[in-house]
Structures are given as C-alpha cells and as structure tokens.
C-alpha cells in the first residue's frame, strides 16, 4: 500500500462516518415537530388528567442552551441554569431533562417516552416518588410552555461509547414542592385568556415565537462568532469614514494639485530659516570668543 493512502484512509472513513450521522440540527423542522408534538401528546395522557397543563411550543434560545451543554459531552446537569441571564436572554431558572444512550438507539421519541415512563414511580395523591421520576415531573409540569432540545454525538459519556446526548430545556421549570398539575377534566382550569387546543391550555401571546439570532450562552465553548446590529453599525460606520476620508483627500488633491509642492517649499523655507539661525548663532559665538575678557587684557598689554 502506498504511504499516502495510510494517511488518507482514516480521514476518509471519518468523513464517511460523519456523513451518515443522524443527528439533527436544532433548527431542523422535523426534529422540532417531533420534540414538541411528543411532549404535547404525552401531556394529554396523564392519570389523573391535567386540567391546567399548558400547550408547549418551541424556543430557539432554550435549544441553543441545550446544544451548548450537550456539546460538552459530560454527564450531569447544566450548572448554569439558575444563573441570571446565563442560559437564556429572557427566562431564568430553566428546567432540564437529559437522555444519554448509544447513538444507534437514539430517537427523540424514544428519549421523551423514557422520561414519561417514570410515571409508574410517581404517586399523584401523595405527590411522592418511589423511584426516579424527576424527568416525568418536568415533562408534565403545568406551567412549562416552552421547550428547546438538542442532540449531540459524543465519543463517550460515562460508560456509554459512541453516545447520543439528548437534552431538553424547559421554561418555566418544574418545582418539586407541589404537584406537577391540577387534576380534572381537560382544560377545565385554564386561565381566562386561554383557549383549549388539543386538550391543553393554549394562549397565542404566550406561545409567540421569539428569535434570538445574536444570542448564545456566554459559557459555550467554542463560542460562535456573531455580529449583532451594534457590531454591524460600527463596521459600516468605519467603512463610511474611510470612504469619506479618501474622497476628501482626492478632492483636495484635484482642486489643489500643487498642494504637495507648496508644502515642500514651505518645509524647505523653514529648514533654510533654521539653518540661517544656526549660522548666526555660530558667528555670534565666534565673536564672543574673540572679544573675551582674556583676549581684551592681552590686547591692552600690547
């Protein structure tokens, strides 16, 4: 085998593996629909039914936060969720669910259903858990109305090799201090401004889509390079000043073609004047040396 093939083959296989990746981007429409629809579907399958569970829609900022933390490929929760403005430009204190498993077993539906399956450990009447049920509580939390999810392929996380790291962030976050929702007939305890949509409390103003094209979590590494409107204004303004400066110089040179010659003549005149002053000073020093007191005394003796 030729030596250069030994170098290129690993790269070729790596590119091929990446091209087969099933990991969707956070702006992938099918991925967004899958995450949102699965959450809303499961929120209508609660026992007892939820009377005030809110309809969930997608949030770009939450998805960016989920992606930024997933990229770290570390087990455990995001440590920045409770920090003011660290994980979202609007919401504070985000909720979070994480699923990690082999990448060949991953699907958003599977991960979200695995969180919902924790319902078997939750007792609504006593508001207690007999096992892990925190993912379930966050998924069905009544006032959570925005989600953003992301999935990243990682070489390994803990003992899982070739892992898919799937994270969803929620606003508003769940609070284990109370039951996750009010039991009752679907939509029977919605807010006055809400309407019932797919057995969930919906509100157009609450579900309004917001975009944050220039915002990224400041702790994200590597941090994306973005130029917000102020940055764009500064760049354009500097270019404008440069163009104006060049135009002024061009016009001055066109209107006063001898301006450089006049400048050179003026400079030459100044230099000549300084030289003349130096000559005068030198001549004055010579005269002073001739008529010094010692020389005067010697002349007087003669």
């Amino acid at each position: 085998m030729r030596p250069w093939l030994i170098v290129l083959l690993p790269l070729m296989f790596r590119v091929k593996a990446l091209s087969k990746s099933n990991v969707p981007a956070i702006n992938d429409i099918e991925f967004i629909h899958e995450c949102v629809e699965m959450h809303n579907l499961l929120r209508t399958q609660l026992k007892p039914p939820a009377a005030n569970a809110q309809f969930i829609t997608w949030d770009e900022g939450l998805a960016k936060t989920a992606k930024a933390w997933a990229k770290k490929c570390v087990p455990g929760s995001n440590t920045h969720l409770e920090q003011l403005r660290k994980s979202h430009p609007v919401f504070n204190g985000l909720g979070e669910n994480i699923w990690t498993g082999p990448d060949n077993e991953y699907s958003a539906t599977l991960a979200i259903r695995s969180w919902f399956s924790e319902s078997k450990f939750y007792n609504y009447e006593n508001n207690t858990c007999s096992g892990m049920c925190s993912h379930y509580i966050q998924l069905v939390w009544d006032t959570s109305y925005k989600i953003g999810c992301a999935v990243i392929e990682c070489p390994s996380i803990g003992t899982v090799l070739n892992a898919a790291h799937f994270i969803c962030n929620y606003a508003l976050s769940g609070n284990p201090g109370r039951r996750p929702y009010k039991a009752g007939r679907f939509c029977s305890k919605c807010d006055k401004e809400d309407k019932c949509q797919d057995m969930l409390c919906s509100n157009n103003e609450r579900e309004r889509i917001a975009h944050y094209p220039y915002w990224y979590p400041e702790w994200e590494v590597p941090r994306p390079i973005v130029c917000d409107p102020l940055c764009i204004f500064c760049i354009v303004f500097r270019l404008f000043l440069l163009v104006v400066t060049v135009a002024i110089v061009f016009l001055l040179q066109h209107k006063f073609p001898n301006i450089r010659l006049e400048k050179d003549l003026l400079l030459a005149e100044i230099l000549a004047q300084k030289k003349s002053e130096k000559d005068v000073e030198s001549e004055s020093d010579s005269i002073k040396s001739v008529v010094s007191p010692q020389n005067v005394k010697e002349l007087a003796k003669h």
Side-chain angles (χ1 to χ4, degrees):
M1 182 180 289
R2 296 181 181 180
W4 59 271
L5 281 177
I6 298 176
V7 176
L8 288 180
L9 277 176
L11 296 176
M12 292 168 63
F13 283 122
R14 177 62 177 164
V15 171
K16 185 176 181 181
L18 290 174
S19 66
K20 290 185 176 181
S21 173
N22 294 320
V23 174
I26 59 174
N27 58 355
D28 183 280
I29 299 300
E30 292 184 4
F31 174 70
I32 293 173
H33 285 172
E34 182 180 7
C35 293
V36 170
E37 290 176 5
M38 184 53 56
H39 273 81
N40 284 326
L41 174 64
L42 295 177
R43 286 161 74 87
T44 65
Q45 297 179 359
L46 308 181
K47 295 180 181 180
N52 67 328
Q54 295 179 353
F55 189 82
I56 278 180
T57 53
W58 187 259
D59 183 85
E60 178 183 281
L62 294 175
K64 287 183 177 181
T65 297
K67 180 181 178 181
W69 187 255
K71 285 196 308 184
K72 294 180 179 293
C73 292
V74 295
S77 298
N78 188 336
T79 57
H80 305 280
L81 296 181
E82 298 297 331
Q83 298 173 2
L84 187 66
R85 299 289 187 271
K86 292 288 186 179
S87 295
H88 198 277
V90 177
F91 299 117
N92 293 319
L94 308 181
E96 179 186 60
N97 276 342
I98 299 177
W99 180 93
T100 304
D103 57 2
N104 59 355
E105 296 179 7
Y106 159 78
S107 77
T109 296
L110 180 148
I112 296 168
R113 283 193 175 277
S114 73
W115 299 334
F116 187 77
S117 68
E118 295 178 2
S119 60
K120 60 180 176 286
F121 300 119
Y122 178 70
N123 185 302
Y124 183 86
E125 291 185 4
N126 300 326
N127 192 31
T128 58
C129 293
S130 59
M132 171 63 74
C133 67
S134 58
H135 300 94
Y136 167 77
I137 290 176
Q138 177 58 79
L139 192 154
V140 303
W141 195 259
D142 51 8
T143 57
S144 293
Y145 63 93
K146 288 290 185 181
I147 64 164
C149 306
V151 59
I152 295 293
E153 285 184 332
C154 300
S156 66
I157 298 181
T159 59
V160 181
L161 301 178
N162 299 319
H165 203 34
F166 177 69
I167 299 177
C168 285
N169 286 131
Y170 301 79
L172 307 172
S173 65
N175 178 6
R178 66 169 177 85
R179 290 181 176 84
Y181 59 88
K182 295 178 181 179
R185 183 172 51 85
F186 295 117
C187 298
S188 61
K189 296 181 181 179
C190 294
D191 293 338
K192 292 181 180 180
E193 300 81 9
D194 293 355
K195 61 182 179 180
C196 191
Q197 178 178 341
D198 298 332
M199 296 184 288
L200 296 169
C201 302
S202 177
N203 183 295
N204 291 335
E205 181 60 27
R206 186 171 61 227
E207 296 157 13
R208 183 173 55 86
I209 302 299
H211 297 285
Y212 314 100
Y214 307 110
W215 180 86
Y216 288 88
E218 63 182 45
W219 42 265
E220 182 173 4
V221 179
R223 185 169 173 78
I225 300 175
V226 294
C227 192
D228 60 17
L230 178 60
C231 166
I232 295 173
F233 171 78
C234 291
I235 293 174
V236 172
F237 186 66
R238 288 188 175 189
L239 290 175
F240 171 75
L241 290 180
L242 177 62
V243 171
V244 170
T245 302
V246 172
I248 291 174
V249 171
F250 176 79
L251 290 174
L252 287 175
Q253 289 182 343
H254 180 72
K255 190 170 184 179
F256 306 102
N258 297 324
I259 190 170
R260 289 186 59 85
L261 179 61
E262 292 175 0
K263 181 180 178 181
D264 293 340
L265 291 173
L266 180 61
L267 181 61
E269 184 179 348
I270 293 173
L271 292 175
Q273 184 178 356
K274 288 185 177 181
K275 183 178 180 182
S276 176
E277 291 175 355
K278 287 183 179 180
D279 292 342
V280 171
E281 290 178 0
S282 177
E283 185 176 350
S284 175
D285 291 341
S286 299
I287 294 173
K288 287 180 180 180
S289 64
V290 171
V291 296
S292 63
Q294 185 177 358
N295 291 340
V296 171
K297 288 181 180 180
E298 291 179 357
L299 289 173
K301 289 180 181 180
H302 294 292

